[in-house]
Amino acid sequence: MTALLQTLTDGLLIGGVYGVIAVGLSLVFGVLKIVNFAQAEFLMIGMYVAWFCWSYLGLDPIFGAFVALAAGFLIGAACQRLLVQHVIHAPPVAQIFLTVGLLAVLENGALMLFGSEFRSVQTPYQTAALEIGQLFISMPYLIAFVAAVTISLGLWLVLAHTWIGRAIRATSQNAQAARLFGIDTRVIYAIAFGLGTGLTAFGGGIILSYSAVSPTAGTQFVVLMFTVVVLGGLGSVLGALVGGLIVGVIQSLSTLVMPIQLQNLALFVVFITFLAFRPQGLLGKGAR
Amino acid sequence: MRHWIFAPVVLATALCSAPALAEKVNIGVVLPLSGANAQFGISSRNGIELALADMKSQGKLGDLDVNLVYADVPAPNAAGAAVQRLISQNQVVGVVGSFVSSITLAASEVTERAGIPMITHSFADQITGRGYRYIFQVTPKATTFGQKQFEYALDVAAKAGQKVTKIAILYEDTAYGTSQAEGIRKAAQRAGVDVVVDDGYPLGITDVAPLINKLRRSDAQVVFPVSYFNDGLLIIRSMRQQRINLPVIGGAAGYIIPDFQKGLGEFAEDVYSIAPANYDAIPAIADRYREKYGFFMAHESIMYGAALQHLIAAIQQAKSTDPEKIRDAVAGLKKCDGFATGIPGGCTAFDASGLSATAYPIFVQWRGTELVSVYPESSAKAPARWSGKEVK
Amino acid sequence: MKRSLLLILILAVAALALGQMLDPRGYNVRVLCLVLLAASLGQCWNIVGGLANQISLGHAAFFGIGAYTSTVLQTLGGITPWIGMPVGMLFAMTAALLLSLPTMRLKGPYFALATLAFGEACRILATAFPGITGGPQGISVPFVGNSWAMMQFRGAGNYVYLFTGLFVVVSVVFACLSHGRMGYLMRAVRENEEAAEVAGVNTLKVKLMGSLISAALTAATGTLFAQFTFFFDPESVFSASGISIRAALIAIVGGVGTLAGPIIGALIVVPLEELLSTYLSSKAAGIAPFTFGLILIAIVLLRPRGLITLFRNRRPSGART
């Protein structure tokens, strides 16, 4: 019983982090209708930014994550304005491969700039854990989870209650109609993309507290990110968070019944099943 | 003044009888210099360059002009074309590389068919198990590493007065982790020791909590993780979080790089690892390396440096650039100086299958920011510490 | 149709002639083989991605199935790859059928994601069953020297015949599909699936046919790859970025949906990769894939319909709006 409870807890905690990493991808797809294969590289960028903040400014990664958010936003918005904007109306094939090229550029750019060594942080709470009876709750996971939930709720509030948020939602529902209402959709696209990449970068900053960064840090998360987003529903913020929690729990629980090597396999089966029977995910809006 | 008539004759004779090797020779270096294993490829390259520089400055090259031609091969698929290019366009007479076993396997398929000798430190069992004549390995096999990882641990534990009956094996699921874990597993079976946790995990794992939970619930007395850096870090940290203080015997790779200690700080203290070589065996060379590159010399720097020196010595011995003759020289040569002294056993020498005839794995342990060789006695530079107590 | 067949013939003759002129154990002939291999792979992808507009990011699954089937049959039973290849093709078709069941109705990016996950799932399976596949350590094709019977040779020279043959077969299939009734139906499905349904086209059957054919040919390509490189592991043949994305890339750079697109793409991608890794790689790690990413972005931005548009003034026949 304690095994089950422990696994469930761990799955939820890590799921929260998966959620915040994936929420950016969901936003980008929801608004721009583009699958951004380079999204995971922004995770890596976020991790590096947070690392440099820790290394030179002594900032804890959780605070560094906010700096990462800003950096991810700026870089993402620039990428959108300069590159992605040109393929908004191109066949999906071109959109996919623009972002694939971007992936290669970002990953290898980081390799050339920062070198291949792993860099990690040391924080006082890294090896701390809360003991509740037989349950161990890892402190970095808990803090990451709290940060993830906070920022996700923050995003939801922005989308629901601010003008920018409404403009973004309007553009994602019907770009032409939004233009008729005077919304400059090109600006909105840039902002939405930047927000998406910024959020993933924020996720990277949080992860840094318990993981290490290298130029290839993002690639571990690519398929996971997409699984979360499809599960929760492409375009839905709350869906991404929910999807993250579900994926975290599935991953965790699956280790009780099958070798941990196959944990991603369990995930893919769920993923493909969802795509087959409910492609809009749990909270999404139609498979277009 | 009769003498001057002899001068041009003497000069001409001198020129004509100059050693056949006052010539340029190309050696191929195939390493992952980009991608996920770039760090190891780069440190291997560092070792190679220092080894060549040493030979030059010590005058050991003689008239040989060695030119290193690098090929960046981040993954096995690119190996074939890269090696073929080195052979056909650069006319390399030998190849050194490639750290990652799968890249070495792919590259050696080409060198074997082209008849070019290749020296590697990669240790997947298959490398020397194909019956090939042109591949040479300066290290023992992966299963030997696994086996010694287990046996040394039990030896040290026994000396410390602990009888070990239950162990845990955690391994990342690429070729390296899988094959070494197999070695540990078999050795445990032979010794009648129970493997209560035996789990492979995907290399890019981001959450090791399920593994450590399992470990906590088991009654393993010693943990044998075979990991790269990121997963190794996660494992040690999770163990500390859950107050698990079992002796940890790492499986090389992630456990013996400077970043491991930087990442874990005090938690790296006393962590063991099996290793192919350690820099405290060659303090003079290691100091030069540290001065040049800023951190301690990793084992791959030592091994690839030794591999290059062996190849060059073989070329000199063969007095020819015919790869067949060089191959025979490589196979027959036993070199016990220079970088080779840094390899346990002190030499580079090969048996009939290309496997090292003299090397054996050693145990290293973290002491502060340094890695210290602690076992077996022939390589130990300091006594081992088991569960906090020094072992005599 | 006649023009297409003529084009294929010319390319085949050119490849064979070039193969004869080059040193059979040299590097350049190896590059020629890689170009033909890449072009074949791209052409296989082109069948579903170009004609039927099903963007698959999981073709590595079929490639790997082909490679593993023929190699495992060799190592376990000494069976020649000439038999192993059709067996692999059969397995790949079965896998394609299995994959199609839940995914046929999916659109665009959803379909792409499903195929990506499928490719990854295959990789994990190959890693988890070392008894059959050799696991993560990879598997080697047993070395028998020069042998047509066992489909392997010491030097790259003889492979030119094999790869040219493969390319011709895949391209002819593409041409037949493109010009025949099936191609007509596929274009209808691609332009407007709902309208096609209304007009009575069995869209599912059309998409399925394309998928099965493409899977089978991709598996054949996988077998030839295994016979050429002799060693591979799950990472090499089931790789999303190394195989799946590359296949699509080659078709796209050249001109998706066109017969000559993949060959143009291969002629650009392969030599470029080799050039970059020869001249730039040792200077700074990562500079080769970095430059490659830049070029990919440039091509997508400046010539999204592929480089074939440099040779044509009008839109390539049947290209999507």
Side-chain angles (χ1 to χ4, degrees):
Chain A
M1 188 53 205
T2 31
L4 191 64
L5 208 59
Q6 178 75 62
T7 330
L8 203 62
T9 316
D10 289 334
L12 283 172
L13 289 179
I14 204 140
V17 180
Y18 289 165
V20 93
I21 293 172
V23 88
L25 185 65
S26 200
L27 192 62
V28 168
F29 187 81
V31 180
L32 287 90
K33 313 287 185 277
I34 287 183
V35 173
N36 180 15
F37 281 86
Q39 189 80 15
E41 298 308 315
F42 287 90
L43 181 94
M44 180 264 298
I45 290 176
M47 285 178 97
Y48 269 109
V49 169
W51 189 87
F52 281 110
C53 285
W54 174 82
S55 184
Y56 290 106
L57 301 173
L59 270 182
D60 186 281
I62 300 296
F63 296 118
F66 285 93
V67 180
L69 179 78
F73 176 84
L74 289 170
I75 300 177
C79 285
Q80 199 283 334
R81 205 63 188 78
L82 297 171
L83 303 173
V84 180
Q85 184 62 37
H86 300 283
V87 295
I88 293 258
H89 300 294
V93 145
Q95 294 171 344
I96 291 176
F97 288 93
L98 179 76
T99 53
V100 167
L102 190 60
L103 189 163
V105 166
L106 290 174
E107 184 171 312
N108 291 285
L111 179 61
M112 294 194 299
L113 277 176
F114 305 127
S116 59
E117 329 79 67
F118 285 90
R119 299 166 199 241
S120 69
V121 301
Q122 285 89 53
T123 62
Y125 55 84
Q126 248 168 359
T127 46
L130 281 179
E131 268 185 78
I132 303 180
Q134 290 269 30
L135 224 57
F136 271 95
I137 301 184
S138 149
M139 200 48 101
Y141 280 10
L142 186 63
I143 295 181
F145 180 78
V146 169
V149 171
T150 312
I151 210 78
S152 303
L153 288 178
L155 173 70
W156 184 69
L157 283 170
V158 162
L159 286 179
H161 295 295
T162 66
W163 188 88
I164 282 274
R166 278 197 288 273
I168 290 177
R169 279 187 293 132
T171 311
S172 95
Q173 277 171 16
N174 190 328
Q176 240 180 346
R179 271 191 288 268
L180 288 175
F181 274 88
I183 295 175
D184 185 349
T185 48
R186 281 185 321 176
V187 170
I188 295 299
Y189 283 150
I191 292 179
F193 196 90
L195 201 55
T197 52
L199 285 164
T200 303
F202 181 83
I206 305 178
I207 289 183
L208 185 65
S209 60
Y210 57 82
S211 188
V213 64
S214 77
T216 52
T219 46
Q220 319 294 4
F221 287 90
V222 173
V223 188
L224 194 106
M225 216 188 275
F226 284 121
T227 311
V228 169
V229 147
V230 165
L231 252 170
L234 277 160
S236 163
V237 167
L238 225 48
L241 194 56
V242 169
L245 291 171
I246 295 178
V247 165
V249 168
I250 292 178
Q251 242 194 356
S252 214
L253 287 179
S254 71
T255 60
L256 289 176
V257 296
M258 57 168 88
I260 200 172
Q261 262 172 313
L262 299 176
Q263 77 178 167
N264 282 339
L265 198 63
L267 220 55
F268 293 147
V269 169
V270 171
F271 179 56
I272 294 188
T273 316
F274 252 86
L275 278 180
F277 297 111
R278 203 185 158 85
Q280 68 269 39
L282 295 168
L283 297 170
K285 299 149 190 106
R288 294 193 319 118
Chain B
M1 284 303 269
R2 299 177 275 161
H3 296 288
W4 73 254
I5 218 121
F6 291 99
V9 176
V10 170
L11 198 60
T13 331
L15 284 173
C16 292
S17 64
L21 256 59
E23 64 188 299
K24 192 164 182 202
V25 118
N26 286 341
I27 293 182
V29 180
V30 177
L31 290 169
L33 296 170
S34 65
N37 291 301
Q39 174 186 32
F40 299 109
I42 291 172
S43 69
S44 303
R45 181 176 66 182
N46 292 348
I48 289 173
E49 294 193 336
L50 187 63
L52 185 61
D54 268 10
M55 282 186 101
K56 275 202 185 120
S57 65
Q58 289 160 11
K60 296 219 175 99
L61 280 181
D63 294 310
L64 198 58
D65 179 12
V66 171
N67 181 38
L68 297 174
V69 187
Y70 289 94
D72 171 15
V73 177
N77 282 2
V83 175
Q84 187 66 60
R85 188 182 74 234
L86 290 176
I87 294 174
S88 306
Q89 300 202 323
N90 301 99
Q91 274 89 47
V92 298
V93 299
V95 172
V96 173
S98 311
F99 190 86
V100 181
S101 285
S102 56
I103 300 178
T104 304
L105 282 163
S108 55
E109 296 285 351
V110 179
T111 52
E112 183 73 14
R113 286 168 175 81
I116 306 283
M118 178 168 178
I119 309 185
T120 182
H121 111 296
S122 300
F123 43 80
D125 288 9
Q126 290 151 292
I127 291 177
T128 47
R130 294 169 293 178
Y132 284 3
R133 296 182 62 242
Y134 290 83
I135 184 73
F136 301 93
Q137 182 177 321
V138 295
T139 47
K141 293 194 292 203
T143 41
T144 309
F145 274 98
Q147 180 192 339
K148 292 301 176 198
Q149 191 177 348
F150 175 80
E151 286 174 7
Y152 290 171
L154 256 67
D155 284 348
V156 176
K159 283 211 177 130
Q162 180 178 17
K163 181 163 160 58
V164 177
T165 53
K166 291 190 163 65
I167 63 166
I169 307 177
L170 303 171
Y171 58 97
E172 55 86 36
D173 73 350
T174 69
Y176 150 65
T178 313
S179 50
Q180 212 163 311
E182 180 69 5
I184 303 174
R185 197 177 295 127
K186 290 230 166 78
Q189 261 166 17
R190 274 198 299 271
V193 168
D194 211 359
V195 183
V196 292
V197 175
D198 188 354
D199 277 325
Y201 58 86
L203 175 57
I205 197 171
T206 47
D207 172 30
V208 297
L211 287 170
I212 308 300
N213 289 337
K214 220 168 157 189
L215 184 63
R216 184 163 48 106
R217 288 194 298 271
S218 76
D219 23 304
Q221 296 163 289
V222 184
V223 185
F224 292 84
V226 186
S227 330
Y228 281 107
F229 174 65
N230 209 14
D231 34 334
L233 214 62
L234 285 173
I235 288 175
I236 304 285
R237 283 201 186 131
S238 289
M239 281 177 63
R240 298 289 176 252
Q241 255 168 10
Q242 301 204 17
R243 324 267 190 271
I244 301 173
N245 286 315
L246 302 173
V248 175
I249 320 285
Y255 289 90
I256 49 180
I257 52 179
D259 289 328
F260 180 78
Q261 191 279 332
K262 270 195 247 167
L264 287 174
E266 43 160 349
F267 296 114
E269 189 75 11
D270 281 3
V271 169
Y272 282 91
S273 179
I274 196 80
N278 195 32
Y279 59 91
D280 57 4
I282 37 168
I285 299 178
D287 285 341
R288 257 179 285 138
Y289 185 97
R290 200 190 292 252
E291 226 184 276
K292 191 165 178 192
Y293 295 106
F295 42 84
F296 70 63
M297 194 173 191
H299 73 277
E300 62 266 14
S301 313
I302 302 175
M303 318 225 59
Y304 281 103
L308 180 73
Q309 289 188 338
H310 188 102
L311 185 60
I312 294 178
I315 296 172
Q316 288 172 323
Q317 190 178 314
K319 295 211 202 341
S320 153
T321 53
D322 175 2
E324 185 66 35
K325 297 210 175 83
I326 296 175
R327 180 256 161 222
D328 289 337
V330 169
L333 180 62
K334 182 167 178 177
K335 187 166 169 16
C336 302
D337 64 341
F339 272 59
T341 50
I343 301 179
C347 302
T348 45
F350 307 106
D351 69 13
S353 69
L355 190 58
S356 168
T358 55
Y360 55 87
I362 55 173
F363 246 15
V364 294
Q365 196 172 30
W366 283 97
R367 301 283 166 83
T369 57
E370 300 297 316
L371 268 177
V372 175
S373 312
V374 293
Y375 198 83
E377 263 94 41
S378 47
S379 300
K381 297 282 179 277
R385 266 210 294 258
W386 186 265
S387 292
K389 292 192 298 260
E390 241 181 46
V391 174
K392 294 288 177 244
Chain C
M1 178 68 183
K2 284 214 188 84
R3 255 187 39 174
S4 298
L5 289 177
L6 190 63
L7 180 63
I8 296 173
L9 187 64
I10 293 175
L11 287 170
V13 169
L16 288 172
L18 200 58
Q20 292 294 74
M21 292 193 306
L22 296 169
D23 168 16
R25 296 187 68 151
Y27 169 64
N28 289 317
V29 77
R30 197 177 186 95
V31 176
L32 176 63
C33 289
L34 288 174
V35 169
L36 288 166
L37 184 68
S40 307
L41 188 63
Q43 195 73 282
C44 293
W45 186 89
N46 211 7
I47 293 173
V48 278
L51 290 179
N53 205 28
Q54 294 278 78
I55 298 164
S56 158
L57 290 175
H59 260 58
F62 311 124
F63 188 83
I65 289 176
Y68 268 105
T69 308
S70 64
T71 310
V72 168
L73 284 175
Q74 268 184 82
T75 52
L76 290 182
I79 300 174
T80 166
W82 289 109
I83 297 182
M85 185 158 74
V87 175
M89 287 165 81
L90 215 66
F91 282 160
M93 280 167 59
T94 315
L97 191 62
L98 276 169
L99 179 63
S100 299
L101 293 172
T103 60
M104 259 311 137
R105 292 187 190 281
L106 295 176
K107 309 276 194 295
Y110 289 91
F111 180 76
L113 290 172
T115 56
L116 186 67
F118 183 68
E120 271 297 285
C122 284
R123 190 183 60 78
I124 293 178
L125 282 171
T127 314
F129 290 97
I132 305 173
T133 62
Q137 286 101 316
I139 191 170
S140 285
V141 169
F143 181 30
V144 292
N146 282 323
S147 161
W148 270 101
M150 291 305 277
M151 214 198 270
Q152 64 168 277
F153 315 98
R154 294 187 97 105
N158 281 324
Y159 286 102
V160 178
Y161 296 108
L162 279 174
F163 286 127
T164 309
L166 176 70
F167 179 69
V168 165
V169 167
V170 181
S171 298
V172 166
V173 168
F174 181 88
C176 289
L177 285 176
S178 181
H179 294 279
R181 187 159 179 280
M182 186 57 71
Y184 183 64
L185 293 174
M186 280 187 187
R187 264 195 298 281
V189 168
R190 187 182 67 206
E191 296 294 334
N192 191 330
E193 190 162 336
E194 279 121 13
E197 279 266 345
V198 166
V201 176
N202 188 344
T203 54
L204 285 173
K205 198 174 119 184
V206 167
K207 288 203 265 190
L208 190 64
M209 286 294 310
S211 172
L212 290 178
I213 294 174
S214 176
L217 292 171
T218 309
T221 312
T223 299
L224 282 171
F225 169 84
Q227 296 302 117
F228 185 59
T229 45
F230 302 110
F231 168 79
F232 58 92
D233 56 9
E235 210 42 66
S236 328
V237 293
F238 284 117
S239 159
S241 53
I243 307 287
S244 297
I245 293 181
R246 199 154 182 270
L249 174 74
I250 289 167
I252 289 163
V253 164
V256 62
T258 66
L259 178 68
I263 193 80
I264 294 176
L267 282 169
I268 307 259
V269 167
V270 174
L272 190 62
E273 260 176 354
E274 292 295 317
L275 265 160
L276 284 175
S277 72
T278 314
Y279 292 111
L280 293 179
S281 80
S282 47
K283 307 275 189 302
I287 215 172
F290 177 83
T291 314
F292 203 63
L294 277 181
I295 290 171
L296 179 57
I297 292 178
I299 286 187
V300 167
L301 285 180
L302 300 173
R303 288 269 159 196
R305 283 174 231 286
L307 288 172
I308 202 165
T309 53
L310 288 173
F311 301 113
R312 298 187 184 190
N313 293 321
R314 58 181 176 84
R315 273 214 311 275
S317 58
R320 201 171 189 282
T321 314

